């Protein structure tokens, strides 16, 4: 009973005294989370006693972007190595054994460890009424497609109105 009340209080505190990081904030940070601006954010969160939260969807978008970055960088490396082999007869580097999936999995593990060690919360989404969401999209109800604008808009009031309509109770 006491533990339940403590857990409720902790959950409430996490939601009320928190900053939420979206993908546009996360994308510039490497998975090491050692960027100076991120370190400042961590320090401020400790000083002012608020949690740092990442919505699960933003987390998945972030790691997917990092996976794409790894694949792009490996392809660049392979191109450079092929150039070295072709033009300079340097054959000591073999990237055929390098797997972007393996590098991504290691990177993802590092990221998960960093998130955990820095006490950052990955917040699962609330229950969304998918039927209502699809219906709104098909009928082009705000904040979906309006005349001259396409897609889900990011204006805060539209977003809040949207959430209020689709969250399951």
């Amino acid at each position: 009973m006491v533990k339940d009340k403590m857990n409720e209080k902790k959950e409430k505190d996490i939601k009320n005294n928190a900053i939420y990081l979206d993908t546009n904030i996360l994308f510039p940070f490497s998975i090491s989370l050692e960027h100076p601006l991120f370190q400042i954010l961590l320090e401020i969160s400790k000083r002012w006693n608020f949690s740092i939260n990442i919505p699960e969807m933003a987390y998945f978008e972030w790691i997917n972007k990092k996976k794409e970055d790894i694949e792009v960088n490996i392809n660049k490396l392979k191109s450079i190595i092929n150039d070295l082999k072709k033009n300079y007869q340097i054959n000591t580097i073999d990237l055929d054994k390098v797997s972007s999936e393996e590098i991504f999995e290691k990177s993802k593990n590092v990221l998960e460890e960093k998130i955990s060690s820095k006490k950052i919360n990955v917040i699962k989404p609330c229950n969304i009424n998918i039927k209502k969401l699809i219906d709104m999209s098909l009928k082009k109800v705000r904040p979906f497609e309006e005349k001259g604008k396409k897609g889900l808009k990011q204006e805060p009031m539209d977003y809040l109105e949207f959430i209020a309509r689709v969250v399951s109770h």
Side-chain angles (χ1 to χ4, degrees):
M1 180 73 160
V2 172
K3 275 190 176 182
D4 289 341
K5 288 194 181 231
M6 288 174 59
N7 285 338
E8 278 180 36
K9 182 181 179 341
K10 183 177 180 184
E11 281 184 35
K12 186 178 177 186
D13 287 347
I14 286 173
K15 291 177 183 174
N16 291 336
N17 302 325
I19 185 168
Y20 289 81
L21 304 179
D22 199 6
T23 50
N24 58 339
I25 300 296
L26 293 170
F27 277 176
F29 296 128
S30 71
I31 60 165
S32 71
L33 300 178
E34 300 301 328
H35 191 282
L37 291 175
F38 198 82
Q39 295 306 309
I40 291 169
L41 179 62
L42 287 171
E43 185 58 38
I44 291 171
S45 74
K46 287 178 191 171
R47 233 183 264 164
W48 291 352
N49 195 30
F50 65 82
S51 64
I52 299 175
N53 299 330
I54 302 172
E56 189 177 55
M57 190 65 174
Y59 171 76
F60 288 138
E61 287 176 323
W62 187 29
I63 61 172
N64 188 57
K65 175 71 170 111
K66 294 304 175 190
K67 182 178 183 178
E68 290 172 5
D69 291 348
I70 288 169
E71 289 170 359
V72 165
N73 286 328
I74 286 178
N75 287 334
K76 284 180 186 176
L77 266 174
K78 285 181 178 181
S79 175
I80 291 168
I81 289 171
N82 286 335
D83 184 56
L84 288 172
K85 286 179 181 180
K86 179 180 170 187
N87 296 319
Y88 304 99
Q89 289 74 45
I90 297 175
N91 294 315
T92 57
I93 304 169
D94 186 11
L95 271 185
D96 293 331
K97 296 176 184 174
V98 175
S99 158
S100 61
E101 192 63 39
E102 183 180 330
I103 292 172
F104 170 70
E105 285 303 317
K106 287 179 183 178
S107 300
K108 185 178 166 190
N109 290 339
V110 167
L111 177 60
E112 289 169 355
E113 288 171 19
K114 292 285 186 175
I115 284 175
S116 177
S117 71
K118 294 179 185 309
K119 298 184 178 21
I120 298 169
N121 306 298
V122 176
I123 306 295
K124 295 204 179 293
C126 56
N127 293 326
I128 301 291
N129 184 331
I130 299 298
K131 184 179 180 316
K132 188 179 269 186
L133 179 67
I134 292 169
D135 188 53
M136 286 174 66
S137 177
L138 292 173
K139 291 179 181 175
K140 297 176 176 58
V141 175
R142 280 185 68 194
F144 290 95
E145 201 169 303
E146 291 181 2
K147 191 171 187 167
K149 296 185 179 187
K150 293 192 178 256
L152 181 61
K153 298 187 306 177
Q154 293 292 321
E155 285 87 9
M157 292 310 293
D158 288 331
Y159 185 69
L160 290 173
E161 179 184 338
F162 164 70
I163 294 297
R165 288 183 183 182
V166 298
V167 171
S168 298
H169 297 288

